[in-house]
Amino acid sequence: MPSKPEDVLKDIKAGKYAPIYFLQGDEPYFIDLISDHIEKHAIAEHEKGFNQIIMYGKDNPMNVILGNARRFPMMADRQVVIVKEAQNIPDLGKELGDSLLMNYLQNPLPSTILVFAHKYKSIDGKRKIAKELDKKAILVKTEKIQEWKLAPWIEEYIKDKGHKIDTRTATLLSESIGNNLEVLTNEIGKMLINFSEPTAITAAHIHQFIGINKDYNNFELTKAIGVKDVMKANKIIHYFVQNPKAHPLIPMISLIFSFFSKIALVHGNANLAEAELARLLGVHPFFVKEYKTASRNYQLGKVIDCFGYIKEADLRSKGVDVNAVENSKILKELIFKLMH
């Protein structure tokens, strides 16, 4: 069973290192976090000149990587070998490369910390090499955080930094930035650097330091649509069309489609408990009430009509069967049809 990134980070921060780490998966953030910590902290700075080797997968076949791993440290207790972009190792996944790695796994050099940073994909778990890595190495498989788990993850991340943020404000961040953790943590870092004392992060802070408007954003737009606040929805749309590069139409249509898809799910599963409904919708339980309110404002027949309006807007945005139309006009007409 692959190890959790959080558990591996806890161990290496405590100075507990293993001979081999194979870090793989769709979410590069955790792979970088673990490999960067090992690179910075596994051996003392003055030992790195002779005892730390950084390699790149595309330039090094397995025999070269393992040749370095079998080298004894010079005037130190251990050495570090980090293979970045390991998904590009030319013979990994081929008989020769896998055979060489299998042999090393049986008898790794205890004085070497060998790290494979294998990003954006994973080795097939059914393959012999994957099973052996799971037994003999620290195997980590990272996955993209699901959207409904992102706000709680942000809350925990900011708590670990010594600050706090409530669920609604964390959701504003998640809805506006998405689940690219590298981008998300960079933006949070730029904000937190402004606070020397523990701080409760608010929407005003996000507006000031990240640039996400606390009143005019995707999250507030779908909320306004859900409660049929026509005036607020139109104000947000007016704000969006003033800066179309920051608020492109096609992702906006996708967001609105997702919102109405969740309303349709509420109609079809009204008997579920809130926790179960939250899992089905892929949202934090905190927001289930808002979707229930939206389902009362948009009966199922109206939701079906809205899907038609959204499809029409999507086709128009892509120039299908229509003459050129400004994106701002398409968006304004879509919001009007949805809410009237």
Side-chain angles (χ1 to χ4, degrees), residues 4 19 33 43-44 52 77 158 167 197 254 281 296 322 335:
K4 295 180 179 179
L33 207 60
I43 59 176
Q52 183 157 282
D77 292 330
I158 288 179
T167 298
E197 298 292 333
S254 177
L281 298 179
R296 290 192 290 272
V322 293
I335 298 303

Side-chain angles (χ1 to χ4, degrees), residues 237-293:
I237 292 302
H238 180 75
Y239 176 82
F240 283 178
V241 300
Q242 304 305 310
N243 191 2
K245 288 185 178 179
H247 304 282
L249 178 59
I250 292 176
M252 189 76 58
I253 292 173
S254 177
L255 172 80
I256 294 169
F257 174 78
S258 175
F259 178 70
F260 277 94
S261 296
K262 289 180 173 65
I263 297 174
L265 283 172
V266 173
H267 279 294
N269 298 274
N271 59 325
L272 291 181
E274 285 198 0
E276 293 175 332
L277 191 56
R279 282 194 291 272
L280 178 67
L281 298 179
V283 301
H284 192 283
F286 183 86
F287 296 100
V288 169
K289 287 187 175 66
E290 293 185 8
Y291 283 99
K292 284 187 171 181
T293 298

